[in-house]
Amino acid sequence: MVLIAGPCVIESRENVMRIAESLKRYAEEETIDFYFKASFDKANRTSLESFRGPGLEEGMRIFEEVKERFGYRTLTDVHETWQVPAAAETVDVLQIPAFLCRQTDLLVAAAKTDCIVNIKKGQFMVPSDMKYSVLKVLKTRGFESADYETSEKAGVWLTERGSTFGYGNLVVDMRALPIMRRFAPVVFDATHSVQMPGQGGKTGGDSTFVPYLARAAAAAGVDGFFFETHFDPAIALSDGPNMIRPDALESLIGQIKAIREIVEEA
């Protein structure tokens, strides 16, 4: 089971190290393929005044320290093609943000690296149309078809993070998970799926629904899970209403693993 966890954004070196320390148990778990996640720049914040992060250079220095200190594989998102080469030198997974999931030049640039490419499904996208984003990466890497086995071999993932439902809310259609698994391994992003965009110049959310959606995704069948974590979401500088504490994550992972075992035995 792939597990992607960490803070929404790099708030400070100290903040990242504290959160990374709290996630050590998952990197040591043999049944979990763990990746530490953080963003060096949140280029798609609602307001110009919102905190974005330390930037590429400082962000990569912090990622290098995380890898040296904890031995974690790491994931970060990239928003522009010029960021890709520098990020690829440090992290193991390049994530394409949901709003940019059709951005051809960005997908091709990421495909030209040795990194796994994790494409987040846009809130506005039909699940079946994500096949074409996958194909942009696969064809750049020399593959002609998009199916689960090919994408797994080529290092291409898809992440579900909810769909726009009118204004100010997202919903998760669990049918999207098996649809997208036809052409790539699928990760379920339980924390971004509870977002409520458009809350007075920022994005709100309700993290109390994270366990329900995560358990439902485990029952539907996915390859991994994405959780943004923070030791105190109330003071987080980005996505606080959606994040969960590391201690809450521990019990939820146990529930997910139990559900997965039932599904695999069925």
Side-chain angles (χ1 to χ4, degrees):
M1 183 181 83
V2 171
L3 174 62
I4 300 165
C8 178
V9 66
I10 298 174
E11 298 178 11
S12 67
R13 174 194 169 277
E14 293 73 22
N15 177 287
V16 166
M17 295 305 159
R18 181 175 176 181
I19 297 172
E21 177 74 29
S22 72
L23 298 170
K24 285 175 63 175
R25 71 193 70 182
Y26 306 112
E28 297 167 354
E29 172 59 59
E30 292 182 358
T31 62
I32 291 177
D33 187 16
F34 178 72
Y35 296 83
F36 181 79
K37 180 269 172 187
S39 298
F40 61 85
D41 181 17
K42 302 298 293 185
N44 56 358
R45 298 301 302 274
T46 303
S47 169
L48 187 63
E49 285 70 39
S50 297
F51 181 77
R52 289 183 54 168
L56 180 61
E57 185 175 348
E58 177 63 17
M60 291 308 106
R61 278 199 292 265
I62 291 173
F63 272 118
E64 287 173 357
E65 185 174 353
V66 167
K67 292 172 76 74
E68 291 172 3
R69 181 171 170 180
F70 299 101
Y72 295 162
R73 283 167 292 182
T74 53
L75 174 151
T76 197
D77 37 8
V78 287
H79 292 84
E80 299 186 54
T81 54
W82 65 266
Q83 298 172 338
V84 170
E89 290 181 1
T90 301
V91 302
D92 302 278
V93 183
L94 294 175
Q95 182 166 277
I96 307 300
F99 288 131
L100 301 176
C101 67
R102 289 173 44 164
Q103 201 76 3
T104 300
D105 289 347
L106 186 59
L107 288 162
V108 169
K112 290 179 178 178
T113 72
D114 294 328
C115 295
I116 294 170
V117 179
N118 182 36
I119 311 170
K120 303 196 81 172
K121 179 181 79 60
Q123 301 91 319
F124 48 87
M125 289 291 292
V126 176
S128 58
D129 278 356
M130 288 303 296
K131 176 178 182 179
Y132 302 103
S133 295
V134 171
L135 276 168
K136 290 177 182 181
V137 178
L138 290 177
K139 288 187 175 182
T140 303
R141 291 185 168 179
F143 298 89
E144 290 301 319
S145 62
D147 56 70
Y148 183 97
E149 290 74 19
T150 301
S151 294
E152 185 178 40
K153 178 181 179 181
V156 185
W157 302 342
L158 287 173
T159 291
E160 166 64 305
R161 48 96 71 243
S163 297
T164 300
F165 184 69
Y167 296 107
N169 207 353
L170 300 175
V171 297
V172 178
D173 182 352
M174 291 295 165
R175 295 175 297 180
L177 304 176
I179 289 171
M180 293 195 296
R181 285 190 90 213
R182 296 171 188 165
F183 38 86
V186 171
V187 174
F188 179 65
D189 182 348
T191 44
H192 282 100
S193 291
V194 301
Q195 281 186 338
M196 295 178 180
Q199 305 294 313
K202 60 183 179 180
T203 295
D206 188 347
S207 62
T208 63
F209 288 107
V210 168
Y212 298 98
L213 292 178
R215 292 192 293 258
V222 291
D223 301 274
F225 294 85
F226 180 118
F227 298 99
E228 288 190 333
T229 60
H230 197 286
F231 53 86
D232 187 356
I235 64 170
L237 299 181
S238 177
D239 260 357
N242 311 299
M243 290 198 280
I244 61 175
R245 296 175 182 269
D247 54 353
L249 181 61
E250 182 178 7
S251 61
L252 181 54
I253 292 298
Q255 295 168 15
I256 287 170
K257 291 172 71 174
I259 294 170
R260 284 168 57 89
E261 289 177 5
I262 293 171
V263 171
E264 290 169 1
E265 292 173 359

